[in-house]
Amino acid sequence: ALTINSEGPNFMADLAVHLGAPIAHVSTCYVAGQYDGVYDEHIHTRQTPNGAPIDPKREIRALRERLLTPDATGRPPRRQARMDIALNRARELGWPNIYTYTKALGEQLLDTRKDVEHITIRPAIVECARNYPFPGWNEGINTAGPIVALMSTWYRHLPSKAQNNFDIIPVDTVVRGCTLAVAALLRGEHQPVYQLACSDHNPYTFEQVVDLNGLAVKRYLRKNGGDALDRFNAFTDGVN
């Protein structure tokens, strides 16, 4: 995670300087961490979600040292121990997990570069396509997939707050947004940060997630349910 998410954008910046080209760095909306209110479109350089100051170079270097320092047995920490070290540090600074912590460090480290023109693009949760290449196209397991799979079984209680937003963005919409942002960058008309998200103007709540999945499951089971349990399941509701 450190090599790819935190140092990767900086490596790309080195290449961009060599080529004399600008770069578009794809980050994530969730660099916001545990943050209340509107998270605006700029890099919170040298600041963590809980307001503590941070130097991304020092933070990366210090974390690497901790991950490689031998324990009481004289060996470097094993994988689980390394995960625990990084996760505890992330939560201490206000990020909920290693992914958002290391992505935020990557943004901040890139933002220290003054020798290359760059933009940061922050998608929310990238999901299946609205249209191109065809409606519903998807590849691999993403965030909504497991929820749909669970809610289509007897699993009826989704651990969530009904009023919280579930900010999912179709992949083709994300690609369009990236294309427009890169075009602006090449024309010299760009903004520093672009957030590809919908919760500010088209919110989708977890209450709707449960309700709409429930409706789809009921419709499917009433049409295809093979036994009495399936037919009974078609009348049960999901709960946040």
Side-chain angles (χ1 to χ4, degrees):
L2 278 176
T3 302
I4 296 171
N5 295 337
S6 301
E7 297 172 321
N10 203 42
F11 296 149
M12 288 298 298
D14 292 339
L15 176 61
V17 170
H18 178 72
L19 297 174
I23 62 170
H25 167 223
V26 179
S27 182
T28 172
C29 279
Y30 298 97
V31 295
Q34 295 165 315
Y35 184 93
D36 290 329
V38 176
Y39 196 77
D40 50 13
E41 294 184 319
H42 75 266
I43 307 295
H44 290 239
T45 305
R46 300 183 182 278
Q47 186 177 352
T48 65
N50 62 17
I54 189 173
D55 182 321
K57 291 182 180 178
R58 288 184 180 179
E59 181 70 17
I60 293 169
R61 184 166 60 247
L63 183 60
R64 279 199 180 281
E65 288 178 1
R66 288 189 63 191
L67 296 174
L68 297 174
T69 299
D71 57 19
T73 66
R75 295 178 299 185
R78 295 181 179 273
R79 177 183 174 86
Q80 186 59 54
R82 295 198 303 272
M83 296 279 285
D84 291 341
I85 290 170
L87 182 58
N88 290 337
R89 180 58 176 167
R91 290 176 174 170
E92 177 185 341
L93 298 176
W95 285 287
N97 51 50
I98 295 170
Y99 173 72
T100 53
Y101 167 49
T102 54
K103 291 291 278 188
L105 289 178
E107 276 195 11
Q108 295 198 22
L109 184 60
L110 179 61
D111 198 52
T112 65
R113 301 286 294 256
K114 306 304 178 187
D115 55 346
V116 60
E117 199 74 40
H118 62 274
I119 60 173
T120 296
I121 302 173
R122 294 175 177 157
I125 302 169
V126 184
E127 284 290 347
C128 57
R130 292 173 62 182
N131 295 295
Y132 182 84
F134 53 82
W137 177 86
N138 206 353
E139 184 173 335
I141 298 175
N142 48 25
T143 305
I147 294 176
V148 174
L150 285 171
M151 300 301 289
S152 65
T153 67
W154 281 88
Y155 190 92
R156 280 291 177 266
H157 290 73
L158 183 67
S160 57
K161 294 182 179 179
Q163 74 277 11
N164 280 7
N165 290 333
F166 185 43
D167 204 318
I168 55 175
I169 305 294
V171 63
D172 45 337
T173 304
V174 172
V175 172
R176 277 199 291 273
C178 290
T179 302
L180 292 169
V182 170
L185 173 63
L186 295 175
R187 289 169 59 93
E189 302 170 356
H190 57 283
Q191 300 295 320
V193 179
Y194 295 90
Q195 292 176 175
L196 306 182
C198 72
S199 288
D200 60 336
H201 63 277
N202 187 27
Y204 179 51
T205 66
F206 273 100
E207 182 177 27
Q208 291 172 295
V209 171
V210 170
D211 287 347
L212 293 175
N213 273 286
L215 288 172
V217 170
K218 289 178 182 181
R219 185 182 302 122
Y220 177 83
L221 290 177
R222 286 169 183 168
K223 182 179 180 180
N224 301 290
D227 54 35
L229 283 177
D230 280 343
R231 289 190 291 275
F232 177 79
N233 199 19
F235 291 93
T236 59
D237 293 318
V239 180
N240 286 104

